Amino acid sequence: MTPPPTDATARFAESFHALADNIERVVKGKRDIVELALTCLFSEGHLLIEDVPGTGKTTLARCLAASIEADFARVQFTPDLLPSDITGVTVYRQNTEVFEFLPGPVFAHIVLGDEINRASPRTQSALLEVMEERHVTADGTTHPVPRPFMVLATQNSVDMGGTYPLPEAQLDRFLMRITVGYPDHASEVAVLKDLKEAGADPQSLTPVATAQEVAELIALAAAEVQVADALYDYLVRVVAATRALPDVRLGASPRGSVALLRAVRVRAASRARPYAFPEDVKALAGPVLAHRLILTPEAELSGRTGADVIEEVLTTVPVDSGARV
């Protein structure tokens, strides 16, 4: 039996779906993807959107940013982009005879890194500290970024010429990796019809939440959603199973367990539930864990993917009856 919603979880669910509805004014027929992106936001995580050109990766990121009244910055990643172009630079002011730090675009609530795999590994690594620690260190001084803080990165999965694959250490900093996919027939027709309407452009969206409200909802989901001991056990067994399969060279780390728990709490709150269920773990294990796995060369040659491994794990790891309140 599903527990009745509390006032707090009901408020969270209302705000969550108001944001999703707003984004769907432009991103048609992708409610599940929109909700995954919002789950990532309220989990205080970062999102990697990977797909073929023209499927709406950047549009989804821009719509999410436009739906929140917060600082937004976009960085177009190119091979000549420097780390200081992202994090900022320290300059010497002759008139005051002091060094001053000029913050880069990463000092925004929502940062869109478009085609992140086109920048050099040195530039990509400039994001590692700020994505994990939420601050930038320049010349020995630490500069915190605002809260909430989210990096939305996109990359093209087919045009790999002149690109630099993200290293495993940086992939692990993304709470989720998702693909948008092609729209269904009805949704694509709706997109074409809306081309002449003002609502077809992300810039036409009006914010339905502020940065402060998002921060409050992040804290609400973490505090209000309860997790049974049996569900903690199930979640850890799912993550541990990724480390034991013969097709996996490197399984998900404890960071993956923490990320999955945060996302599970948000999914439960988005459904106005004060308790998390195994269904939440099963729904989010793929987007949260699949990109953290490194498969053996033999598995990759046979066409196996991280998503395949997660699907196998979910079918083999049993659920304790006590994991569902």
Side-chain angles (χ1 to χ4, degrees):
M1 184 177 69
T2 302
T6 63
D7 291 343
T9 55
R11 175 193 163 207
F12 184 99
E14 182 181 359
S15 299
F16 184 96
H17 291 290
L19 281 165
D21 292 342
N22 200 51
I23 294 171
E24 272 204 310
R25 290 174 52 196
V26 175
V27 182
K28 307 288 187 182
K30 293 294 178 181
R31 183 71 178 206
D32 55 339
I33 299 300
V34 170
E35 291 193 0
L36 281 176
L38 289 173
T39 299
C40 194
L41 168 69
F42 288 113
S43 303
E44 278 200 295
H46 309 292
L47 180 65
L48 178 61
I49 310 173
E50 183 180 63
D51 216 320
V52 298
T55 51
K57 302 184 297 295
T58 304
T59 299
L60 172 60
R62 289 176 59 203
C63 288
L64 192 152
S67 298
I68 301 170
E69 190 176 320
D71 294 333
F72 169 68
R74 175 175 176 170
V75 182
Q76 187 66 48
F77 279 71
T78 57
D80 59 349
L81 193 72
L82 299 176
S84 58
D85 294 331
I86 300 173
T87 59
V89 64
T90 301
V91 298
Y92 180 71
R93 299 292 190 187
Q94 289 187 341
N95 56 335
T96 58
E97 297 184 345
V98 296
F99 287 94
E100 179 183 349
F101 178 71
L102 300 180
V106 79
F107 286 86
H109 292 102
I110 298 178
V111 180
L112 169 58
D114 215 4
E115 298 195 81
I116 189 173
N117 56 334
R118 294 202 175 277
S120 68
R122 179 168 173 247
T123 301
Q124 292 173 357
S125 65
L127 285 172
L128 284 175
E129 179 188 17
V130 68
M131 288 176 68
E132 182 66 19
E133 307 295 336
R134 287 175 164 75
H135 61 239
V136 170
T137 302
D139 298 321
T141 303
T142 298
H143 306 275
V145 296
R147 306 293 286 268
F149 172 71
M150 182 184 191
V151 173
L152 282 157
T154 70
Q155 65 177 7
N156 186 341
S157 59
V158 293
D159 182 13
M160 304 304 292
T163 63
Y164 304 87
L166 292 176
E168 285 76 11
Q170 186 158 1
L171 276 175
D172 200 42
R173 261 64 173 189
F174 286 98
L175 188 139
M176 290 186 194
R177 179 172 67 178
I178 63 175
T179 59
V180 178
Y182 292 115
D184 58 39
H185 178 81
S187 298
E188 193 161 359
V189 169
V191 169
L192 297 181
K193 288 183 176 180
D194 280 354
L195 287 178
K196 62 182 179 180
E197 303 291 337
D201 190 336
Q203 292 182 344
S204 68
L205 297 180
T206 56
V208 296
T210 66
Q212 179 61 35
E213 289 170 343
V214 170
E216 291 172 358
L217 291 170
I218 288 171
L220 186 153
E224 294 292 329
V225 177
Q226 304 302 311
V227 178
D229 288 344
L231 187 60
Y232 280 120
D233 179 74
Y234 173 65
L235 188 152
V236 171
R237 284 190 286 113
V238 166
V239 175
T242 67
R243 308 165 191 160
L245 294 177
D247 284 345
V248 180
R249 184 160 56 92
L250 187 65
S253 68
R255 182 186 284 129
S257 303
V258 173
L260 183 54
L261 176 63
R262 297 204 320 252
V264 159
R265 280 198 165 106
V266 170
R267 187 177 188 272
S270 72
R271 283 147 178 80
R273 283 193 271 108
Y275 288 93
F277 289 162
E279 290 83 349
D280 300 318
V281 176
K282 293 179 179 181
L284 294 169
V288 174
L289 298 178
H291 65 284
R292 304 173 191 270
L293 309 182
I294 301 178
L295 305 187
T296 63
E298 295 79 12
E300 290 181 342
L301 286 172
S302 67
R304 289 271 280 172
T305 65
D308 296 330
V309 171
I310 297 301
E311 186 175 350
E312 177 183 341
V313 165
L314 293 176
T315 58
T316 56
V317 175
V319 179
D320 191 295
S321 59
R324 200 178 198 280
V325 177

